[in-house]
């Protein structure tokens, strides 16, 4: 990934990681019978945040920003551990088996529960009812972009060209793959997916003109778009994105494709209510700080600080919509 984008993220990740690792002395006052971090007051020990993705990506940076704030509010150390694999499924499996005492929690991605299940068997799918949702966090929208050499400026341009398109995605079972597949199928454009293992190689391939177009999260593409190294073709939100206000949505261009990535804080199922309340309160206070608001702005994230029920409703609605659309167009996302 170009230095213009990764350097700030790496610096921010290092700063947040170091800050989150500082052990503070004050303690919270909510009672719990858990012994996960010691008996008595919660929290009385470290709260571990795990990430089902590699360091430096959006989920990792969001987790570190939230962990830093929660640690300050609760007066404990909040180490962040990266446990990548299977679009977050490996980390999720470990979390759901952890003791439900509030000492092991994780920020998780919507795509793990809405899109990945469409690529695996029901037995392999990760289910949201294996967790307690603490709060919604933020939304990370997708943009389809191309190399300026292609000459494309819209979805219609690709359609008029009458050529087969090779499109890059951030992996199988991701929102980038889903948004692209639905767009090309609904537009009647012949296209072949080229999945990469994450945003960085996907972006590199597009910048090197190895694929015709790519879909990725806005935060991964925005610096190169502003620099004129990439041309945005569409965003997949319900309305235009403030970070790219001149880019039309797919729906504005006549294609009913709405795919977003959003994240939420989770704990193992059965975590005590008083513990969840303590974590929620710390998260809300973090969201309200100027530092966290600036973090969202710098990383092209839209706040989605909603209740657990609103998160669950969105997950169910999106799951049903995506399955219906894939069935309608006869699309398979597997492999």
């Amino acid at each position: 990934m170009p230095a213009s984008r990764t350097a700030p993220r790496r610096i921010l990740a290092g700063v947040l990681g170091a800050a989150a690792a500082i052990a503070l002395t004050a303690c919270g006052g909510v009672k719990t019978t858990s012994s996960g971090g010691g008996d008595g007051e919660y929290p009385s020990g470290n709260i571990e945040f795990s990430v089902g993705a590699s360091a430096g990506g959006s989920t990792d940076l969001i987790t570190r920003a939230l962990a830093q704030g929660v640690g300050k509010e609760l007066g404990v150390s909040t180490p962040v551990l990266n446990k990548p694999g299977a679009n977050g499924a490996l980390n999720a499996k470990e979390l759901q088996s952890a003791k439900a005492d509030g000492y092991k929690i994780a920020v998780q991605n919507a795509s793990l529960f809405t899109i990945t299940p469409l690529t695996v068997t029901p037995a392999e799918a990760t289910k949201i009812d294996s967790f307690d949702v603490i709060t919604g966090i933020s939304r990370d929208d997708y943009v389809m972009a191309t190399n300026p050499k292609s000459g494309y400026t819209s979805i219609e341009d690709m359609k008029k060209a009458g050529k087969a398109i090779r499109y890059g995605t951030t992996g199988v079972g991701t929102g980038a793959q889903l948004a692209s597949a639905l767009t090309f199928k609904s537009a009647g454009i012949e296209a072949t997916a080229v999945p990469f293992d994450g945003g960085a190689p996907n972006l590199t391939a597009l910048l090197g003109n190895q694929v015709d177009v790519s879909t990725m999260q806005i935060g991964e593409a925005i610096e190169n778009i502003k620099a004129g190294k990439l041309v945005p073709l569409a965003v997949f939100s319900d309305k235009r994105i403030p970070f790219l206000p001149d880019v039309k949505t797919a729906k504005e261009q006549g294609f009913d494709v709405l795919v977003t990535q959003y994240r939420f804080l989770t704990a193992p199922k059965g975590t005590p209510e008083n513990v969840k309340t303590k974590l929620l309160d710390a998260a809300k206070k973090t969201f309200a700080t100027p530092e966290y608001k600036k973090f969202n702005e710098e990383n092209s994230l839209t706040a989605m600080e909603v209740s657990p029920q609103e998160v669950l409703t969105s997950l169910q609605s999106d799951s049903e919509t995506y399955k219906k659309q894939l069935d309608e167009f006869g699309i398979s996302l597997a492999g």
Side-chain angles (χ1 to χ4, degrees):
M1 187 181 289
S4 63
R5 182 63 193 168
T6 57
R9 281 197 166 189
R10 286 174 180 168
I11 293 170
L12 180 58
V15 171
L16 295 180
I22 296 174
L24 304 175
T25 55
C27 292
V30 177
K31 294 287 186 178
T32 175
T33 58
S34 166
S35 59
D39 294 326
E41 305 287 345
Y42 174 84
S44 59
N46 295 351
I47 299 175
E48 178 186 301
F49 282 71
S50 59
V51 185
S54 299
S58 295
T59 305
D60 175 71
L61 294 183
I62 291 167
T63 299
R64 291 179 187 277
L66 182 60
Q68 180 187 18
V70 169
K72 285 182 179 179
E73 293 297 333
L74 297 182
V76 296
S77 179
T78 49
V80 176
L81 303 181
N82 294 89
K83 301 177 181 180
N87 195 29
L90 297 183
N91 181 53
K93 184 176 181 180
E94 184 174 324
L95 179 66
Q96 72 183 57
S97 300
K99 190 171 183 179
D101 57 8
Y103 289 96
K104 288 190 176 183
I105 58 180
V107 173
Q108 299 204 66
N109 298 334
S111 60
L112 177 61
F113 304 96
T114 60
I115 302 174
T116 303
L118 302 173
T119 70
V120 299
T121 66
E124 295 173 313
T126 305
K127 298 175 176 59
I128 191 61
D129 57 13
S130 297
F131 307 93
D132 283 337
V133 177
I134 307 299
T135 180
I137 301 175
S138 57
R139 194 182 80 231
D140 203 356
D141 292 291
Y142 291 103
V143 59
M144 179 180 286
T146 186
N147 191 298
K149 294 179 181 179
S150 73
Y152 303 138
T153 61
S154 67
I155 298 173
E156 189 63 28
D157 282 349
M158 291 187 286
K159 186 174 181 179
K160 288 179 179 178
K163 301 190 321 186
I165 299 291
R166 294 178 75 251
Y167 65 94
T169 75
T170 53
V172 175
T174 63
Q177 180 195 22
L178 176 63
S180 299
L182 288 174
T183 297
F184 290 122
K185 202 72 172 181
S186 59
I189 300 172
E190 183 181 348
T192 302
V194 182
F196 294 94
D197 187 17
N202 182 37
L203 175 61
T204 299
L206 182 60
L207 289 169
N209 214 27
Q210 298 168 20
V211 291
D212 299 307
V213 301
S214 287
T215 296
M216 63 198 77
Q217 290 164 353
I218 287 177
E220 296 166 337
I222 193 166
E223 293 301 325
N224 284 290
I225 289 174
K226 289 182 176 180
K229 296 179 181 179
L230 293 178
V231 176
L233 303 177
V235 292
F236 298 98
S237 51
D238 59 344
K239 56 185 178 181
R240 294 195 189 189
I241 304 299
F243 307 110
L244 294 173
D246 296 328
V247 182
K248 292 183 178 180
T249 66
K251 192 168 185 177
E252 279 184 279
Q253 298 180 55
F255 307 101
D256 191 15
V257 182
L258 173 60
V259 181
T260 62
Q261 177 71 290
Y262 47 97
R263 298 174 178 86
F264 36 89
L265 184 61
T266 61
K269 192 72 173 180
T271 297
E273 289 297 325
N274 55 352
V275 172
K276 290 190 289 185
T277 298
K278 189 76 172 179
L279 290 169
L280 175 59
D281 182 62
K284 285 183 175 179
K285 289 179 179 178
T286 298
F287 295 152
T289 63
E291 294 82 4
Y292 189 85
K293 291 179 183 294
K294 183 179 180 182
F295 165 79
N296 275 348
E297 180 72 22
E298 290 179 342
N299 287 275
S300 306
L301 299 167
T302 300
M304 189 176 168
E305 298 153 4
V306 299
S307 70
Q309 187 54 55
E310 288 176 278
V311 171
L312 295 174
T313 298
S314 293
L315 291 174
Q316 181 177 354
S317 175
D318 289 345
S319 296
E320 294 172 354
T321 298
Y322 297 157
K323 186 179 186 307
K324 181 180 179 181
Q325 289 179 312
L326 292 178
D327 289 344
E328 177 185 349
F329 290 109
I331 298 172
S332 172
L333 300 180

